[in-house]
Amino acid sequence: MAPSTGVLDGGWGWVIVAASFMAQLLAYGSPQSVGVLYPEWLHAFQESKGMTAWVGSLVAGVGLLASPVCSACVDNFGARPVTIFSGVMVAGGLMLSAFAPNVQFLIFSYGIVVGLGCGLVYAATLTITCQYFDKRRGLALGIVTTGTSVGAFIYATAQNELIVMFGLGGCLLIIGAIALNLMACAGFMRPLNMPGYYLKQKAALECSTEEQLFEKPPLDDLAGSTSTSLERTLTVKELLVTIDAKDKAVQTETKKGGFLAGLTIVKVIKNKRQAYREYMHSMYEILQDQVMVAFCIAVFLFSLGAFPPVLFIEDVAQSEGLIEEVSVFPLVSIGAIASCVGKLLLGMLVDIKWINGIYLYAFTMFAGGVALLLIPSTQTYLGLQILTVALGFFSGNWTLTSYITTNIVGLDKLTQAHGILMFFGGFGIMLGPPVVGWFFDWTQSYDLAFYFSGACVELGALILFLLNLPCWNRKHSEKDRPDVHYTSNCDKVASLA
């Protein structure tokens, strides 16, 4: 059932925000500051930079690529069980990484296991936050998602100190033990809506005890239709669960055999095939939108070029001789806090009516690309810090993705469009660091690698800007679109990274 308006936008909702903020901080703290661990892994395993870079790229990209699966887990089991399970994955992956004998083991333990755990935390925290907020949903999501940046700022400094005191293995063991507190955060995530798994169990129990819904159902009803009174009392999720339960009833009928049972199976298959066909057609329509395609390309190129500095920036400073000892505030920490500020300020700017969200995103890409192109010519550590601040601030444009996507495709198709966009972003994040590492292995310098990264980001900004000019695109315009009003059912989850 949909939550009543009396429990929204306050009360226990702010406890949910605090718990979700801490969950993202604990889960993403180490992965977002993986650049501190990268030089240590290079020294410990003596592998190429391209191979070692896969660890950092996978931990950031796997969660995005698996976001549809993570969202399905939250929808079926609820935010609390998923967060508990993710705590086991994140903590277990970090502790396993402490005993890694080679980079290949790290790719599995740190890159895949921790990455999937982070993806589950991301989906669970955003979903539960949306359920508790309606009018203040943007503010609540903004606070929750800054947990990743705050976590990166804290963990970058903490991991440096822990490595000095306890070594690389001891650092990962301690960080993994701290990540177990994700289970404590999950305890506060009291659900407002009954998850799909429990609804299915409830429907199955009613089938076996009362036998009211499915006792000798009509043929058309077995094929997927429901009574009018049932439609009025059930929500969309509960209605789908009821249909799933009816599929069980169909299986029961088929055990009796006969021509009618076979005909029923054929109708069920046709209905499901029609549903999948409509879903694929909707995906096709999204990809036919010129603005959406341009945005996907831009997000891919930005992820491909702008993410590698998070992983390589500490190694750049050490390789160029700009710093000999570990800094009190690593470059990763500086970039993380700048990204946190960027998320908040850019989110406030996009709410101004006369500011076009797509052009604002293109501008942040252009400015971030300039910062990337200037990194090879930097001769001082102070200059590298300034460029890290600039790049971190403009990387906060991830907070604009849900706003822009909604304006392009509308609220009805937001879920599907979000999945497509996150796939492009995750693929770019996974591919970027290994490509930069291969450039270094080939040239023994980061200069060409960062020129390539900057060129990718600038190309994405150019494509996004040109394909959204009025002379190229007259069909879609932010000014022509009505304002989007979110509902309290939270069927569409905003994407904020």
Side-chain angles (χ1 to χ4, degrees), residues 177-329:
I178 294 174
L180 288 172
N181 287 286
L182 279 165
M183 300 181 185
C185 296
F188 295 96
M189 297 181 182
R190 185 172 62 198
L192 282 179
N193 302 319
M194 187 177 293
Y197 172 78
Y198 299 102
L199 289 174
K200 289 181 182 180
Q201 296 299 317
K202 180 181 177 182
L205 183 62
E206 290 178 353
C207 283
S208 60
T209 57
E210 300 178 4
E211 296 183 1
Q212 295 178 352
L213 292 176
F214 311 118
E215 185 177 359
K216 295 182 181 180
L219 189 61
D220 292 338
D221 192 44
L222 290 175
S225 62
T226 56
S227 63
T228 305
S229 61
L230 188 62
E231 288 180 349
R232 287 197 301 264
T233 58
L234 296 180
T235 63
V236 174
K237 183 192 295 186
E238 291 170 329
L239 189 60
L240 292 175
V241 171
T242 303
I243 293 175
D244 287 340
K246 287 192 175 187
D247 288 341
K248 295 181 181 179
V250 171
Q251 296 175 6
T252 303
E253 289 292 324
T254 56
K255 292 180 181 179
K256 300 178 181 179
F259 174 76
L260 293 179
L263 187 60
T264 300
I265 293 176
V266 171
K267 289 192 174 184
V268 170
I269 293 175
K270 286 183 178 180
N271 287 339
K272 291 190 175 182
R273 184 181 299 174
Q274 180 66 23
Y276 286 124
R277 188 181 296 113
E278 292 177 357
Y279 180 82
M280 295 304 297
H281 180 70
S282 179
M283 298 278 283
Y284 175 77
E285 288 182 345
I286 292 173
L287 292 175
Q288 289 296 305
D289 192 311
Q290 174 181 303
V291 181
M292 187 64 195
V293 172
F295 193 39
C296 288
I297 295 173
V299 169
F300 168 75
L301 291 174
F302 184 78
S303 302
L304 180 66
F307 178 72
V310 177
L311 183 62
F312 290 99
I313 197 68
E314 294 292 339
D315 192 51
V316 170
Q318 296 179 16
S319 300
E320 299 296 330
L322 301 179
I323 184 173
E324 296 180 358
E325 299 181 356
V326 176
S327 175
V328 176
F329 293 104

Side-chain angles (χ1 to χ4, degrees), residues 312-486:
F312 290 99
I313 197 68
E314 294 292 339
D315 192 51
V316 170
Q318 296 179 16
S319 300
E320 299 296 330
L322 301 179
I323 184 173
E324 296 180 358
E325 299 181 356
V326 176
S327 175
V328 176
F329 293 104
L331 293 173
V332 176
S333 293
I334 297 173
I337 202 66
S339 176
C340 181
V341 175
K343 289 177 182 178
L344 295 176
L345 291 183
L346 292 175
M348 294 171 62
L349 284 176
V350 80
D351 283 333
I352 301 176
K353 293 184 178 180
W354 55 268
I355 292 182
N356 187 297
I358 294 180
Y359 291 155
L360 178 61
Y361 191 91
F363 171 76
T364 58
M365 288 187 65
F366 172 78
V370 171
L372 283 169
L373 294 173
L374 291 176
I375 288 179
S377 61
T378 305
Q379 301 298 323
T380 64
Y381 190 69
L382 177 61
L384 206 58
Q385 288 177 319
I386 295 174
L387 292 178
T388 301
V389 170
L391 187 59
F393 178 84
F394 293 115
S395 295
N397 60 8
W398 273 97
T399 195
L400 305 176
T401 54
S402 61
Y403 180 90
I404 296 173
T405 305
T406 305
N407 284 339
I408 294 174
V409 302
L411 190 61
D412 293 338
K413 298 181 180 179
L414 176 60
T415 303
Q416 298 174 24
H418 164 258
I420 296 173
L421 192 67
M422 289 300 100
F423 175 83
F424 278 91
F427 186 64
I429 287 176
M430 288 182 59
L431 191 61
V435 169
V436 172
W438 292 331
F439 270 111
F440 183 91
D441 295 334
W442 178 38
T443 63
Q444 295 302 308
S445 173
Y446 281 110
D447 292 354
L448 186 60
F450 279 97
Y451 286 138
F452 170 79
S453 297
C456 287
V457 175
E458 297 293 4
L459 177 62
L462 182 63
I463 291 174
L464 184 62
F465 177 77
L466 291 180
L467 293 183
N468 282 278
L469 290 175
C471 58
W472 284 91
N473 181 55
R474 298 179 180 177
K475 182 178 179 181
H476 296 286
S477 174
E478 286 191 342
K479 295 181 180 179
D480 296 334
R481 283 192 174 275
D483 293 336
V484 177
H485 299 283
Y486 292 95

